[in-house]
């Protein structure tokens, strides 16, 4: 507890543009809460030049940044993940020693966030975890996410399937709050650009039919070659006529730099058919999704957020395998013929009509306000127990 203000200090960590886009509204509400003190810690890709230094988006929103903690090696885009994890644990152990919060709020499943959770758990600092219980079989994030769950004191899953999975993992029911998805809330509440504004902002003609494309490397142990998969996507985009491809950069995972380079080369080689922007930022990204004829790639947003818009989505490969899917999503393998066929189907009037009927399972109403209320009142001093199910009792973990 912050002794001077009698507020709870909630340290919130953001490492990527996508994560910050989801957290943005929640951070503003934490900052406005009379019972909470926001300590915003910025790290990872936000502070990395080769990944767009997206901390500028946070600065533009005017949120107070309490600490900027670099963890990525600018000179080594393919540094082994284990080394980055080790560095991140050390950096955040220093942070939590110098500035001990009442709780650490973390979203998702990336290796950087896992490392932050390890540092917090080792210092016996309670963790509040957003989006636990999800499944992404094609990414190493799968194991990181579930590890964070077992370290967390309170859980904010984004849909009923994920909440039920947390209970099966042994999390006590009174620590699991199915609040809905922050991405869904953003879509419903954030003012979008007009199509004309989007054209001016990106510098591309998006009055024509366009596809929004984000492709990340697969990181499961049996993942294929990211360069070959990115090439397959580029060949498929070339083969599908009548569509301009608006492409964003890949993430900081191993192989991400290769995927980004492939997409940049494709856009440079097809200036009349494609444009590349490393990071669109939240408002431009959601605005682009709103007007897109199709959303393609393997980003979680293609599965989780497109149903709210009712836009067709093509989910490539296995990175998002296991997530709850809606009627607007077509899944395909990461080969050029399969991607081309899926894109062509997604662009048909018949499938567009199917996509419009999609019902998102992630609508929890005022998700961010619900999270804030729980952060204000949850008893973080309670011991964590393993929940064995109804009528079986529970023992301390």
């Amino acid at each position: 507890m912050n002794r001077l203000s009698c507020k709870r200090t909630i340290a919130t960590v953001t490492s990527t543009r996508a994560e910050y886009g989801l957290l943005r509204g929640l951070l503003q509400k934490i900052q406005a809460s009379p019972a909470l003190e926001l300590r915003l810690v910025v790290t990872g890709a936000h502070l990395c030049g080769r990944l767009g230094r997206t901390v500028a988006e946070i600065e533009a929103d005017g949120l107070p940044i309490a600490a900027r903690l670099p963890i990525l090696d600018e000179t080594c885009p393919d540094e082994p993940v284990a080394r980055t994890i080790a560095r991140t644990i050390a950096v955040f152990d220093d942070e939590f020693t110098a500035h001990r919060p009442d709780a650490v709020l973390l979203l998702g499943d990336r290796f950087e966030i896992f490392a932050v959770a390890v540092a917090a758990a080792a210092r016996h600092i309670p963790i509040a975890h957003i989006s636990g219980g999800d499944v992404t079989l094609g990414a190493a994030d799968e194991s990181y996410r579930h590890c964070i769950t077992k370290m967390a004191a309170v859980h904010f899953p984004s849909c009923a399937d994920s909440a039920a999975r947390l209970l099966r993992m042994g999390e006590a029911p009174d620590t699991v709050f199915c609040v809905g998805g922050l991405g869904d809330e953003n879509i419903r509440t954030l003012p979008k650009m007009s199509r004309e504004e989007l054209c001016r902002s990106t510098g591309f003609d998006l009055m024509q039919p366009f596809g929004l494309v984000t492709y990340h490397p697969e990181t499961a142990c049996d993942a294929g070659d990211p360069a070959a998969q990115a090439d397959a996507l580029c060949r498929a985009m070339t083969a599908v006529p009548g569509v301009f491809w608006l492409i964003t950069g890949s993430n900081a995972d191993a192989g991400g730099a290769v995927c980004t380079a492939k997409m940049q080369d494709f856009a440079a080689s097809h200036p009349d058919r494609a444009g590349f922007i490393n990071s669109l930022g939240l408002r431009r990204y959601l605005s682009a999704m709103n007007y897109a004829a199709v959303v393609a790639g393997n980003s979680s947003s293609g599965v989780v957020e497109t149903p709210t818009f009712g836009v067709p989505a093509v989910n490539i490969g296995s990175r998002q395998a296991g997530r709850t899917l809606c009627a607007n999503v077509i899944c395909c393998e990461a080969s050029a013929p399969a991607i081309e066929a899926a894109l062509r189907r997604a662009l048909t009037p018949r499938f567009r009509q199917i996509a419009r009927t999609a019902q998102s399972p992630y609508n929890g109403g005022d998700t961010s306000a619900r999270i804030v209320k729980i952060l204000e009142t949850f008893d973080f001093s309670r011991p964590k127990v393993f929940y064995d199910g109804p009528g079986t009792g529970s023992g301390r973990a």
Side-chain angles (χ1 to χ4, degrees), residues 48-261:
C48 185
R50 60 181 168 80
L51 294 171
R53 207 178 298 280
T54 48
V55 67
E57 296 173 22
I58 304 174
E59 294 167 340
D61 284 335
L63 282 165
I65 298 174
R68 302 170 191 240
L69 305 179
I71 57 171
L72 300 178
D73 187 342
E74 286 272 17
T75 66
C76 185
D78 291 320
E79 178 181 56
V81 170
R83 290 184 180 273
T84 309
I85 288 174
R87 182 185 305 115
T88 304
I89 293 172
V91 167
F92 275 85
D93 183 65
D94 290 343
E95 163 67 16
F96 295 144
T97 300
H99 304 280
R100 183 182 180 90
D102 294 293
V104 177
L105 179 65
L106 302 174
L107 185 149
D109 45 31
R110 290 191 52 78
F111 62 85
E112 309 99 301
I113 298 304
F114 162 74
V116 174
V118 170
R123 290 284 172 185
H124 305 291
I125 300 171
I127 296 166
H129 186 210
I130 300 170
S131 292
D134 290 353
V135 174
T136 51
L137 299 177
D141 300 348
E142 175 79 357
S143 58
Y144 299 138
R145 182 190 312 108
H146 298 327
C147 286
I148 297 170
T149 288
K150 300 316 298 180
M151 290 185 278
V154 62
H155 312 275
F156 302 116
S158 59
C159 66
D161 286 348
S162 295
R165 192 171 291 115
L166 290 174
L167 300 186
R168 295 197 297 272
M169 290 174 66
E171 299 305 303
D174 57 354
T175 68
V176 177
F177 300 89
C178 188
V179 295
L182 290 171
D184 184 273
E185 182 183 41
N186 281 341
I187 292 168
R188 288 183 284 104
T189 59
L190 187 73
K192 316 298 187 301
M193 292 179 168
S194 69
R195 197 155 180 154
E196 292 78 7
E197 285 179 289
L198 187 62
C199 292
R200 290 194 296 271
S201 178
T202 61
F204 301 122
D205 176 11
L206 302 179
M207 300 305 291
Q208 61 187 313
F210 72 92
L212 177 61
V213 180
T214 305
Y215 192 79
H216 303 304
E218 295 186 4
T219 54
C221 60
D222 57 350
D225 176 14
Q229 292 167 352
D231 279 337
L233 174 54
C234 291
R235 290 198 299 275
M237 289 190 289
T238 302
V240 176
V243 179
F244 182 89
W245 303 105
L246 178 61
I247 308 170
T248 69
S250 187
N251 61 19
D253 287 342
V258 172
C259 292
T260 292

Side-chain angles (χ1 to χ4, degrees), residues 327-339:
N328 69 305
V329 180
I330 299 171
C331 294
C332 67
E333 65 181 35
S335 69
I339 299 170

Side-chain angles (χ1 to χ4, degrees), residues 306-351:
T306 57
T308 305
F309 283 113
V311 62
V314 172
N315 177 49
I316 301 167
S318 62
R319 186 178 174 95
Q320 302 301 328
R323 282 199 189 272
T324 301
L325 298 179
C326 292
N328 69 305
V329 180
I330 299 171
C331 294
C332 67
E333 65 181 35
S335 69
I339 299 170
E340 179 186 344
L343 290 173
R344 288 182 180 275
R345 181 186 170 206
L347 290 164
T348 61
R350 182 174 182 275
F351 191 81

